[in-house]
Amino acid sequence: MKLTLAAWMCGLALFAAPAGLPAQTMKPAKVAAAPKAPYYIDPMVMNLPELIPDPPAADSPANQAELAELHRIEQARTPGQVAAAKADEADEDLFLYKSALGAHFTPEALPVTAELGVHVKNEQSVAGAALKLIFQRVRPYNTDKTLHPVCDLTDAPNSYPSGHALTGYLEGLTLAEIVPEKRGEILARADDYAHNRLVCGVHYPSDVEASRRVAYVVFGYMLATPRFQRDLAAARAEARPALGLPAK
């Protein structure tokens, strides 16, 4: 059943009050971080749950097909793919796109761009975490105990959408505005980064597809805000000369 704007707002309120979240017994206990405040977006007016389908029910044929796809990926993954997926899990900042943008694309060389990346990731934390609380999808390895995930595990029902994939797509779309000449390579890296959540065995294919859809909506909203346009222009002015590109 599709969620209403009131339910979305309730999810945002829950995100702002983390005391009742499910315990993550499969990872070491951590002190709860303070909830993130929106920097560019206003999630109260976006109603993102209306823009993505509900995830398949755990006992549905669609969910079984997704589990079968995860088994196929698990059986075919190589040690190199596992290593790359683990590296991507640990790397969520804008500079994971160094492979597309070259050796000069570093936070040390580009502090203004690095700060923009922090704010972009923050918007994922706001929108993505609220969606996870609303949909409460159980992770695939907790539904199918015959899967063998290779990345960090959690007992919390927070599979849908994927936070890593949403982060990667938002960062990739941002960089495509700064370096449009590399848009194809950047977005291909975003797809690869999202797919590595499946190689890890910690998300369903529909989790990362939902993240892609949400990212385009959130990014479109960000583009319409003067604050983001100001920060984007500053990062563009810094990054393009450093990457040997003409000013835009």
Side-chain angles (χ1 to χ4, degrees):
M1 184 173 63
K2 186 55 66 178
L3 293 158
T4 64
L5 178 59
W8 168 234
M9 294 174 70
C10 181
L12 289 167
L14 286 171
F15 178 49
L21 294 183
Q24 294 189 353
T25 58
M26 298 174 73
K27 294 177 73 175
K30 296 181 180 178
V31 176
K36 299 287 183 69
Y39 194 78
Y40 297 123
I41 66 173
D42 182 354
M44 291 297 186
V45 303
M46 297 183 73
N47 197 15
L48 292 173
E50 285 293 332
L51 303 176
I52 55 175
D54 294 339
D59 59 352
S60 68
N63 203 68
Q64 294 304 310
E66 289 201 76
L67 288 171
E69 174 64 7
L70 289 178
H71 277 287
R72 186 197 66 76
I73 292 170
E74 177 182 305
Q75 291 163 7
R77 68 192 177 196
T78 66
Q81 289 172 329
V82 169
K86 288 182 175 181
D88 275 355
E89 178 173 60
D91 189 3
E92 293 186 75
D93 70 30
L94 199 69
F95 296 93
L96 68 92
Y97 287 91
K98 186 175 182 178
S99 60
L101 295 177
H104 296 294
F105 188 64
T106 67
E108 295 78 19
L110 303 170
V112 174
T113 306
E115 183 176 3
L116 172 64
V118 170
H119 296 315
V120 170
K121 187 178 184 309
N122 178 80
E123 304 310 88
Q124 181 282 127
S125 299
V126 172
L131 287 168
K132 286 174 179 284
L133 283 170
I134 289 171
F135 286 109
Q136 295 280 297
R137 190 182 196 184
V138 175
R139 295 275 184 158
Y141 52 79
N142 288 327
T143 296
D144 182 347
K145 298 296 186 181
T146 67
L147 286 169
H148 301 91
V150 293
C151 297
D152 284 347
L153 309 182
T154 175
D155 271 339
N158 61 359
S159 193
Y160 188 87
S162 162
H164 274 77
L166 180 51
T167 295
Y169 281 120
L170 284 176
E171 292 171 344
L173 290 167
T174 299
L175 288 173
E177 290 292 315
I178 295 173
V179 190
E181 300 94 328
K182 294 279 190 177
R183 181 179 180 85
E185 295 94 322
I186 290 167
L187 296 185
R189 176 69 175 108
D191 286 337
D192 182 63
Y193 186 79
H195 180 74
N196 274 341
R197 303 308 286 157
L198 309 184
V199 176
C200 277
V202 297
H203 277 289
Y204 291 97
S206 57
D207 296 342
V208 299
E209 172 57 21
S211 298
R212 188 185 64 82
R213 293 191 188 191
V214 170
Y216 275 88
V217 173
V218 170
F219 189 71
Y221 188 104
M222 288 163 56
L223 277 175
T225 65
R227 177 182 247 186
F228 181 68
Q229 285 292 342
R230 179 200 67 206
D231 293 352
L232 185 65
R236 185 184 291 118
E238 174 190 66
R240 291 186 64 83
L243 298 175
L245 298 169
K248 284 282 185 178

